[in-house]
Amino acid sequence: MDGAVYGQLFGTPKILLNGETILFSFSKINALLYYLIVNKTVSRDEVAGLLWPEMNEKNAKKNLRNTIYQANKMLGNDYICSPNKVLLMLNENLPISSDVEIFKDNPLENLSLYQDSFLKGFFLKDSEEFDLWMIKMRNFFEKKFINECYRKVSQDIQAQQYEDVEKNLHQLISIDEYDERNYQLLMNYYQEIERHEKVIEVYYELADTLNTELGIGPSKESRIIFERSVMIVNQQTQVANSRFTTRFFGRLEEIKILETNFSSFYHDDQCYSILVKGEVGCGKTSLVNRVLDNVQNRFHILETQCYEVESSYDLRPWRKIINQISHLFEDFKLNKPDYWQATINRFFPTMDDFIQGNSAFEDQKYIDLNILSQVLIEAIRKISQSQKLVIVFEDIQWLDEMSFQLLTSVLLHLKNKEAIFIFTQREEASLSVDHFLTTINSYELLTEVKLLPLNFDETRLFCEYELAAQTVSETKIIELYTLTEGNFFFLTEYINMIRNDDKLDLMNLRMQDALRDRFIHLSEQETQIVEVVSYFYDYVSIQLLTEIVNIQALELVNGVEKLLNKGILVENLMNDEVVLSFSHSRLREFVYMNQIASKKRLLNKEIAYLLEKSKITEHNDYLIFAKIAYHYEEAREWLKSLDFQLRYLQSYFKFYHELFPVNTYSNDQITVKRSEWKKGAIEEFDKIRLKLAELEADYHSDQDYRLLLMRFYNLEGRFFIKQGKYEQGVIDIQNVIKMAKEMKESYFLLEGYKQMINYYIQIDASKEMYDYIELALNEAISSNNHESIGILLRLKGVNYLMTGKLSLAEKQFHESINTFTITESIKEKYSVNIAAAYDYLAEIRSIEEKYDEAIELQQRAIDLCENKAAYSSLSVFYINMGIILFAEKKYEKAKVVFNEAYAIYDKFSSLWKRPQLDAYMSLINLYQGNYQAVFVYLISSKKYMERFSNPKDIGTFCFAAAMIKRQLVRENHHDHKLYELLDQDEGYYYQKALEYLSPNRNKLETNLLKRTFLEEELTKS
């Protein structure tokens, strides 16, 4: 209904008019409407005192009148009315509704309307009475929702109508996250529908919430529900090796493995010791502790930590285990094994024993471990008679050799009967660990749990969960994922920084301390290697690394191998070259930030010089320019950095943005999506513009700086003109022309003239175009610029074509071809420019309706480009070929050729002639009766036409629109979407098409229009 007002007061409040949100100029308009929607009729005195309590009555009522006026004005009618001087009410004659009204009338059937608390997040400054009213209503509606929601859930479960149960229970939990009843209801519901993995997920969510916020654990009732599901999952796992499919930040899949394994161990079923493996900060210890917290009442849990600094000390991690076993004997008053104390004293002497000479430390490693192993196994078996043991070794990559021997012996004898072992290990290569695992795995006594970093979707959900009280933008989540690569430790730290409003570009002390631990034990050579690698934001080749570091090749290889084994560096193969990078970006950042500034400047300058000295050709990887620019920027060589930033953009333009480029090469490595390139290009231009502005004060008279500024204007101007932003583009190009004249730079002067010529081609301004052609030709001839002369001859031909002088145009095109075919090498270099001339010759034959010749010439243009990287040119040639085939009514063949053009548009940034392509595809589909496709192509044509706004695009769109609207009317076809899109009559589009289409170059379109519309008129008369 037109003029319908809807008040959404649950959740973030808003007022909608005809489905569109209305944004009022000040919040008291919203407050007045919200108050009226709930209360219907109120007194003026009441509202004035509520909204302006600090004002006197006269001023408050004056503000109220203005607020009513502004509200009605924005809504377009008198929605707030006053039946007398005392009362205010909502106009009953106008369509006004709200979620609170619908909910109040029938809450049980409208629970979904309660999206969140009443007027969530709404705040009115200096109005305590309004706040009190808002809190009162919030509590009223929340209580009503909770009661009705419980009733609805009970009814639905009883009737086995589960559609809304999960959603409603989650909403109850969100209202009071400490009420265990809601979690228990949800867990029971999941058990009812046999989704036991969700029971486990909910239980751990409850455990996390209670432990973190209240320092308590779930109740016995919740634990019983949980254990019932764990038992069922365990049974199902034994029958069929099924896997969970749900995602859980607490590592649901891994928790399931550990929980079911502990359950099997407890019930004397088959079980395994477990190795939890993953990179630093991925949550290995947290995972183990989380599960141990829930089984600690069932088992004796013994824990020890291995340290890198103690990795050469025999049996050091076992000392803590032995002490804990001794305490268990004392606490439970158990009889110790024979020779227990003597054996322990012998292997783990105290300092007093050492001082008294009772221990031979040097000979200890040679003592037969069999004695210690037997005593230890007997001790574990004795203790396990009352309660089994879980023995945890953290970071076994640092366990000493003798400890591994003892561990292997104990494991092989116990066979996970009386005790199981839990190990954690970093992603580091260790021969000792490998030998241990090989032995144990051969007896099938151990299973490995691999912890991977969170993927992007999991990172988003984790951030939303942790920052539930804040709105987290997609941009912020992308930034967090880029910074952390899904690592739990880094994610947690950065989330804490967000909570504290800290900048994310800084690394806090906890992160620095954790990272410092990774590098503290590196050798001098290893430190030198990681320091140099940290200068490269992506990777460094072994060859380049060898040139930079002052280390012998064999020593360098050994150092790199150790760093790879420690998980600090990773090795990859790129283009048949071995490259190195850090295993995590934060490692690189830490190493780089802890080097002194002078060293950074000198080494970055050296790296930039080495890269610049390397073989770079025009068809090489253009990203090398971006890397050189980065290193010069880090070295504070500002002009050199800008030089290579501009080279990067310029080399990209050669592949993507030049309509008829020179010296093209096939390169499969340069495919970039159009949207990504456009966004990246704009960001690059903004960055360079800011830097040039910063440097102006110091370098404004420097010739190199002025040359860089001119290059920048040239590139940005070309980009804007190509994107249809003519005003900005022309300003830039005029700056190029002005500066080139001042600096006597013939190359850039010609570049500026050519860009102005291309601009006038796009807007169909032949006179202005001719003036610039003459200026450009004079400059090209005086500077003996052979290349520019050939290009300008072709452009002069285009000018003649625009003015209908076909014979003169044809002559110029042939002269251009002759200029570029003097030798085979020149012909190869300028093949795309030759192809462009054939394309225009094909257009002349098409205007003359000599279609066979036109097709032959157009094919020559395509053949010259198909093995080149001139993608913009090729897309234009395919479109022009399709138009010729369309003129011959060979619609299927035209469609095939047009699709070739679309394939290029999908990959590359140029949109030249895109509105024309879409317009013709809409017509082909019209003639084939596919009206859905007609709409899709025509709306796309309109979108790009409005973006570029050049006459030919507008004319071609209106040509297609006129033909389509005429057929819709003639056939009495009722396609509502097309009628909405084409909201004018066919005569309007006919006249607009003739107004914008060139009478000389668009004869196909104008003739078809005139035949169609004039024949219709003649038939009627």
Side-chain angles (χ1 to χ4, degrees):
M1 184 184 296
D2 191 41
V5 167
Y6 179 79
Q8 180 183 303
L9 274 58
F10 290 134
T12 302
K14 53 187 173 182
I15 300 295
L16 297 97
L17 178 63
N18 296 326
E20 297 291 329
T21 301
I22 301 298
L23 299 175
F24 295 104
S25 53
F26 49 94
S27 59
K28 290 194 177 179
I29 299 177
N30 298 77
L32 174 61
L33 286 166
Y34 300 154
Y35 195 73
L36 282 168
I37 285 170
V38 173
N39 295 295
K40 303 299 182 189
T41 302
V42 297
S43 74
R44 284 178 174 270
D45 290 344
E46 174 189 349
V47 177
L50 190 73
L51 300 182
W52 295 277
E54 78 287 356
M55 288 188 179
N56 58 45
E57 184 180 348
K58 182 181 177 181
N59 287 334
K61 286 188 174 180
K62 180 182 176 182
N63 281 351
L64 177 59
R65 286 194 297 274
N66 181 52
T67 302
I68 296 167
Y69 169 76
Q70 292 292 340
N72 288 334
K73 180 183 175 183
M74 290 289 289
L75 295 172
N77 210 331
D78 291 334
Y79 286 87
I80 302 174
C81 61
S82 182
N84 54 50
K85 292 184 178 181
V86 177
L87 298 178
L88 285 177
M89 61 185 293
L90 293 176
N91 196 331
E92 295 178 351
N93 298 319
L94 293 174
I96 305 171
S97 60
S98 69
D99 51 2
V100 293
E101 185 179 359
I102 299 168
F103 178 77
K104 278 198 300 184
D105 290 344
N106 191 349
L108 195 64
E109 295 301 318
N110 293 290
L111 290 173
S112 61
L113 290 176
Y114 190 87
Q115 298 178 27
D116 212 323
S117 57
F118 178 75
L119 298 187
K120 182 181 179 182
F122 184 73
F123 172 72
L124 201 60
K125 189 178 179 182
D126 300 327
S127 185
E128 186 179 345
E129 287 297 319
F130 185 86
D131 288 342
L132 291 172
W133 170 79
M134 191 165 59
I135 292 166
K136 175 186 172 184
M137 298 311 300
R138 187 173 291 162
N139 293 335
F140 167 77
F141 284 119
E142 184 178 289
K143 186 175 180 181
K144 193 169 190 66
F145 172 79
I146 290 171
N147 292 336
E148 294 297 330
C149 199
Y150 275 129
R151 190 152 67 97
K152 171 74 170 167
V153 167
S154 300
Q155 289 178 3
D156 286 349
I157 291 176
Q158 191 172 359
Q160 295 187 339
Q161 295 177 349
Y162 299 132
E163 184 179 352
D164 297 323
V165 171
E166 186 175 5
K167 178 187 70 178
N168 288 332
L169 285 172
H170 274 298
Q171 198 158 357
L172 285 171
I173 289 171
S174 70
I175 291 171
D176 187 355
E177 60 181 345
Y178 306 119
D179 189 341
E180 271 196 72
R181 292 177 304 161
N182 300 328
Y183 292 93
Q184 290 167 3
L185 278 171
L186 186 56
M187 290 162 71
N188 280 322
Y189 160 68
Y190 283 139
Q191 281 191 345
E192 178 77 18
I193 61 174
E194 298 184 353
R195 294 184 65 187
H196 298 285
E197 77 281 1
K198 294 295 289 182
V199 175
I200 297 172
E201 179 180 344
V202 173
Y203 178 81
Y204 277 107
E205 182 185 339
L206 170 64
D208 271 353
T209 300
L210 295 179
N211 182 53
T212 303
E213 302 297 332
L214 305 177
I216 61 174
S219 66
K220 182 180 178 182
E221 291 80 4
S222 298
R223 179 76 194 179
I224 289 169
I225 301 169
F226 165 74
E227 288 178 350
R228 191 185 307 135
S229 283
V230 170
M231 189 181 301
I232 293 169
V233 166
N234 189 31
Q235 292 168 354
Q236 290 173 344
T237 305
Q238 291 172 359
V239 174
N241 190 22
S242 62
R243 294 173 63 87
F244 283 112
T245 57
T246 54
R247 182 167 53 245
F248 186 59
F249 300 125
R251 305 287 192 182
L252 179 61
E253 173 63 23
E254 292 81 2
I255 284 172
K256 172 228 171 184
I257 293 169
L258 269 67
E259 282 282 1
T260 53
N261 191 67
F262 279 127
S263 178
S264 298
F265 178 47
Y266 183 77
H267 292 101
D268 298 324
D269 294 329
Q270 184 179 7
C271 60
Y272 303 90
S273 289
I274 292 176
L275 170 65
V276 181
K277 190 174 182 180
E279 66 178 26
V280 177
C282 69
K284 302 182 293 296
T285 302
S286 297
L287 170 69
V288 172
N289 288 340
R290 190 176 191 186
V291 178
L292 289 179
D293 282 345
N294 290 292
V295 298
Q296 58 188 348
N297 294 329
R298 293 181 170 192
F299 310 110
H300 293 304
I301 298 172
L302 314 180
E303 300 174 77
T304 189
Q305 173 76 49
C306 307
Y307 297 100
E308 187 173 10
V309 293
E310 296 181 346
S311 58
S312 59
Y313 301 158
D314 294 333
L315 300 176
R316 183 60 64 89
W318 277 103
R319 180 183 289 274
K320 190 174 180 182
I321 299 296
I322 296 298
N323 288 340
Q324 292 172 70
I325 289 174
S326 295
H327 286 307
L328 287 175
F329 279 124
E330 294 170 8
D331 293 344
F332 291 92
K333 296 181 172 52
L334 300 173
N335 293 324
K336 296 176 182 177
D338 294 338
Y339 310 112
W340 167 261
Q341 201 60 51
T343 305
I344 297 309
N345 290 342
R346 187 177 180 186
F347 279 89
F348 302 98
T350 64
M351 188 55 67
D352 289 340
D353 293 329
F354 178 70
I355 293 169
Q356 294 168 16
N358 295 334
S359 174
F361 274 65
E362 290 297 321
D363 297 332
Q364 192 164 305
K365 65 169 65 178
Y366 302 110
I367 296 173
D368 185 3
L369 281 176
N370 185 47
I371 298 170
L372 178 58
S373 174
Q374 288 183 40
V375 171
L376 188 56
I377 290 165
E378 186 180 348
I380 290 171
R381 283 174 173 162
K382 277 180 174 287
I383 295 171
S384 70
Q385 290 173 8
S386 61
Q387 203 169 39
K388 292 183 177 183
L389 288 83
V390 175
I391 303 173
V392 182
F393 278 78
E394 291 270 10
D395 289 323
I396 62 163
Q397 73 276 358
W398 294 325
L399 195 64
D400 61 277
E401 192 63 43
M402 190 174 284
S403 291
F404 270 124
Q405 292 178 31
L406 179 58
L407 185 58
T408 304
S409 175
V410 172
L411 243 172
L412 291 176
H413 283 86
L414 292 177
K415 297 180 179 177
N416 298 323
K417 298 295 184 185
E418 293 86 1
I420 60 172
F421 289 80
I422 306 296
F423 309 108
T424 67
Q425 183 197 354
R426 290 185 181 182
E427 288 282 12
E428 295 184 15
S430 167
L431 284 175
S432 299
V433 174
D434 292 342
H435 291 155
F436 167 70
L437 294 178
T438 301
T439 303
I440 299 304
N441 285 333
S442 66
Y443 291 92
E444 298 183 353
L445 295 174
L446 184 130
T447 188
E448 183 177 319
V449 174
K450 181 71 178 289
L451 295 190
L452 298 173
L454 299 182
N455 61 34
F456 179 75
D457 289 333
E458 290 168 336
T459 300
R460 176 197 285 112
L461 292 172
F462 181 73
C463 293
E464 290 171 351
Y465 175 75
E466 289 292 324
L467 296 168
Q470 298 176 240
T471 301
V472 189
S473 68
E474 185 74 5
T475 304
K476 183 65 70 178
I477 291 169
I478 292 170
E479 182 184 7
L480 282 170
Y481 186 69
T482 303
L483 288 169
T484 66
E485 299 174 19
N487 182 284
F488 260 122
F489 171 74
F490 291 128
L491 262 176
T492 303
E493 291 303 313
Y494 278 116
I495 283 170
N496 287 333
M497 290 169 74
I498 290 173
R499 289 194 183 107
N500 297 328
D501 291 327
D502 294 333
K503 292 182 178 179
L504 297 188
D505 57 352
L506 301 174
M507 193 180 290
N508 67 24
L509 291 175
R510 272 176 53 83
M511 283 190 271
Q512 291 186 48
D513 289 341
L515 291 170
R516 191 173 287 107
D517 182 56
R518 297 295 303 276
F519 301 101
I520 199 166
H521 298 291
L522 297 186
S523 69
E524 184 179 342
Q525 289 179 344
E526 290 165 2
T527 301
Q528 188 180 351
I529 292 168
V530 295
E531 284 181 350
V532 172
V533 176
S534 74
Y535 282 74
F536 297 85
Y537 58 80
D538 49 5
Y539 55 81
V540 57
S541 68
I542 285 286
Q543 181 182 349
L544 183 57
L545 184 63
T546 306
E547 290 185 57
I548 300 169
V549 297
N550 187 26
I551 301 175
Q552 293 295 320
L554 186 59
E555 293 178 356
L556 175 65
V557 170
N558 290 335
V560 167
E561 186 176 14
K562 288 176 182 177
L563 291 166
L564 293 172
N565 289 338
K566 290 176 180 178
I568 292 173
L569 298 182
V570 292
E571 184 181 77
N572 287 296
L573 201 64
M574 296 195 68
N575 300 324
D576 294 326
E577 190 173 29
V578 177
V579 298
L580 299 172
S581 59
F582 281 90
S583 59
H584 196 285
S585 60
R586 296 307 91 191
L587 295 176
R588 174 197 166 268
E589 182 187 338
F590 175 78
V591 175
Y592 189 71
M593 69 185 280
N594 281 288
Q595 296 181 58
I596 61 174
S598 57
K599 181 179 179 180
K600 289 181 188 176
R601 291 195 183 188
L602 289 171
L603 198 49
N604 271 302
K605 187 174 181 178
E606 183 184 350
I607 291 167
Y609 172 73
L610 289 171
L611 289 172
E612 188 178 352
K613 194 176 68 172
S614 64
K615 189 178 179 182
I616 301 171
T617 66
E618 289 186 17
H619 61 286
N620 196 12
D621 176 11
Y622 64 95
L623 291 174
I624 193 74
F625 295 127
K627 293 178 182 180
I628 296 171
Y630 164 78
H631 289 294
Y632 273 130
E633 184 176 5
E634 290 292 295
R636 301 300 188 265
E637 294 281 340
W638 305 120
L639 297 187
K640 294 283 282 183
S641 177
L642 285 170
D643 175 23
F644 281 94
Q645 285 181 59
L646 290 170
R647 288 198 208 188
Y648 162 71
L649 286 173
Q650 190 170 353
S651 61
Y652 189 98
F653 265 78
K654 277 186 176 291
F655 288 118
Y656 293 98
H657 244 62
E658 196 68 61
L659 183 56
F660 303 123
V662 175
N663 225 356
T664 57
Y665 297 85
S666 178
N667 191 336
D668 296 330
Q669 303 300 316
I670 58 173
T671 302
V672 178
K673 290 182 181 178
R674 181 172 61 249
S675 59
E676 292 174 359
W677 157 244
K678 182 184 174 184
K679 180 183 177 184
I682 291 171
E683 288 173 355
E684 280 296 311
F685 283 130
D686 288 344
K687 178 182 172 184
I688 295 171
R689 187 186 302 105
L690 284 172
K691 196 66 196 176
L692 285 165
E694 284 177 23
L695 298 175
E696 185 178 10
D698 296 328
Y699 293 94
H700 66 277
S701 59
D702 186 289
Q703 195 74 358
D704 290 336
Y705 171 80
R706 288 176 59 76
L707 189 59
L708 288 170
L709 186 61
M710 186 164 55
R711 285 168 59 192
F712 170 74
Y713 283 139
N714 181 48
L715 283 171
E716 188 182 57
R718 286 164 57 192
F719 174 79
F720 282 138
I721 288 173
K722 200 72 171 178
Q723 293 294 321
K725 297 179 179 179
Y726 299 131
E727 186 177 348
Q728 292 168 277
V730 168
I731 290 171
D732 278 340
I733 298 302
Q734 288 298 328
N735 281 328
V736 172
I737 293 170
K738 180 185 175 185
M739 292 182 73
K741 286 178 179 177
E742 292 172 356
M743 298 172 69
K744 294 182 171 47
E745 286 284 346
S746 179
Y747 171 80
F748 282 103
L749 183 58
L750 283 168
E751 281 291 299
Y753 286 152
K754 281 187 278 186
Q755 287 305 314
M756 291 305 298
I757 292 165
N758 287 329
Y759 162 65
Y760 286 124
I761 290 174
Q762 291 198 47
I763 65 169
D764 201 26
S766 57
K767 182 183 180 304
E768 292 84 351
M769 176 187 172
Y770 181 83
D771 293 340
Y772 273 100
I773 289 172
E774 290 302 305
L775 286 170
L777 271 171
N778 290 336
E779 179 63 31
I781 292 167
S782 65
S783 61
N784 197 26
N785 191 320
H786 181 83
E787 176 185 307
S788 291
I789 291 169
I791 292 170
L792 290 165
L793 287 172
R794 186 189 74 240
L795 292 172
K796 194 168 186 178
V798 176
N799 186 256
Y800 285 136
L801 189 58
M802 291 164 67
T803 55
K805 299 169 184 175
L806 299 188
S807 58
L808 288 173
E810 187 169 349
K811 180 183 175 183
Q812 294 294 317
F813 295 139
H814 282 296
E815 281 189 31
S816 177
I817 292 170
N818 291 335
T819 304
F820 289 134
T821 53
I822 296 171
T823 66
E824 283 301 315
S825 61
I826 291 175
K827 183 179 177 181
E828 175 64 23
K829 182 177 180 181
Y830 296 102
S831 57
V832 179
N833 278 272
I834 296 168
Y838 282 122
D839 174 68
Y840 287 120
L841 288 169
E843 184 179 339
I844 291 173
R845 294 293 176 264
S846 180
I847 291 169
E848 295 169 344
E849 298 187 359
K850 297 175 182 178
Y851 296 122
D852 290 341
E853 289 182 46
I855 288 171
E856 184 182 340
L857 289 164
Q858 197 68 58
Q859 189 60 52
R860 289 180 75 175
I862 290 170
D863 291 343
L864 281 165
C865 283
E866 281 200 312
N867 295 322
K868 307 290 183 181
Y871 301 103
S872 296
S873 313
L874 198 55
S875 64
V876 169
F877 298 159
Y878 279 133
I879 293 169
N880 291 342
M881 176 68 92
I883 292 171
I884 297 168
L885 292 167
F886 178 91
E888 287 199 295
K889 298 184 180 180
K890 296 177 180 177
Y891 300 131
E892 274 305 317
K893 286 185 177 180
K895 205 171 184 179
V896 170
V897 176
F898 283 147
N899 282 328
E900 293 284 355
Y902 279 118
I904 293 172
Y905 282 134
D906 286 342
K907 295 178 182 178
F908 300 98
S909 61
S910 173
L911 290 172
W912 189 270
K913 298 193 78 164
R914 176 62 186 266
Q916 297 168 52
L917 172 61
D918 289 330
Y920 274 101
M921 280 295 276
S922 69
L923 286 173
I924 291 173
N925 281 282
L926 176 75
Y927 299 149
Q928 295 178 339
N930 187 350
Y931 285 94
Q932 175 61 31
V934 171
F935 174 78
V936 170
Y937 285 114
L938 194 62
I939 201 167
S940 177
S941 177
K942 185 173 186 285
K943 178 179 76 173
Y944 291 114
M945 175 269 292
E946 289 171 344
R947 176 172 161 183
F948 290 99
S949 299
N950 71 56
K952 193 165 187 177
D953 289 340
I954 297 170
T956 308
F957 169 78
C958 291
F959 154 67
M963 299 296 290
I964 292 165
K965 192 65 178 278
R966 170 52 63 98
Q967 185 152 322
L968 289 174
V969 172
R970 183 186 294 175
E971 295 182 358
N972 198 25
H973 193 284
H974 298 290
D975 189 301
H976 297 296
K977 289 193 294 185
L978 278 170
Y979 271 98
E980 285 178 15
L981 178 61
L982 303 175
D983 54 357
Q984 304 288 337
D985 62 42
E986 64 266 32
Y988 169 83
Y989 294 112
Y990 171 75
Q991 292 298 331
K992 282 290 179 186
L994 294 180
E995 178 185 341
Y996 282 99
L997 288 170
S998 168
N1000 298 313
R1001 295 187 68 184
N1002 296 115
K1003 288 197 173 180
L1004 164 65
E1005 293 88 348
T1006 55
N1007 289 342
L1008 185 56
L1009 278 170
K1010 288 173 182 177
R1011 282 199 298 269
T1012 303
F1013 280 79
L1014 293 177
E1015 282 176 10
E1016 183 83 11
E1017 294 301 321
L1018 288 170
T1019 303
K1020 285 182 180 179
S1021 60

